[in-house]
Amino acid sequence: MYRSRSRFVALAMAACALVGHAVAVAVVQPIAAVCRFLGYHFGEACALASAKHDARPMVALRVKAVAFAASMLKRESPVLSPTWRMCPSV
């Protein structure tokens, strides 16, 4: 009787270990995949942020912004008369 019980306990523990391993693999693999994905993209983002950029594109953007502001200041606004309407067909 003692030997039978110990075999049953050993078999039950082996079955629990097998099921526990399957559950652990099913849970750990997706989590590890997400961690690898985030780590890769975080590393790429840090590499892009820390890279030295040329100052010329920023100067070009500033020149374009100043030119746009100057063109907006030079633009003449239409003179609205009291009979002016939104839709010219009316």
Side-chain angles (χ1 to χ4, degrees):
M1 172 118 180
Y2 178 76
R3 194 176 259 175
S4 173
R5 184 179 299 181
S6 67
R7 284 185 185 165
F8 176 74
V9 169
L11 184 62
M13 289 182 72
C16 287
L18 184 63
V19 169
H21 177 8
V23 169
V25 167
V27 171
V28 169
Q29 281 184 347
I31 292 173
V34 168
C35 288
R36 279 192 308 269
F37 178 80
L38 291 177
Y40 174 76
H41 287 291
F42 183 74
E44 288 287 320
C46 287
L48 284 175
S50 66
K52 296 268 184 182
H53 295 291
D54 194 11
R56 279 184 270 158
M58 293 302 289
V59 172
L61 288 175
R62 194 174 308 127
V63 169
K64 286 181 183 180
V66 169
F68 176 75
S71 71
M72 291 301 283
L73 287 174
K74 282 195 256 178
R75 196 170 96 179
E76 296 178 10
S77 57
V79 178
L80 301 179
S81 64
T83 60
W84 180 83
R85 296 180 185 266
M86 279 289 246
C87 182
S89 66
V90 178

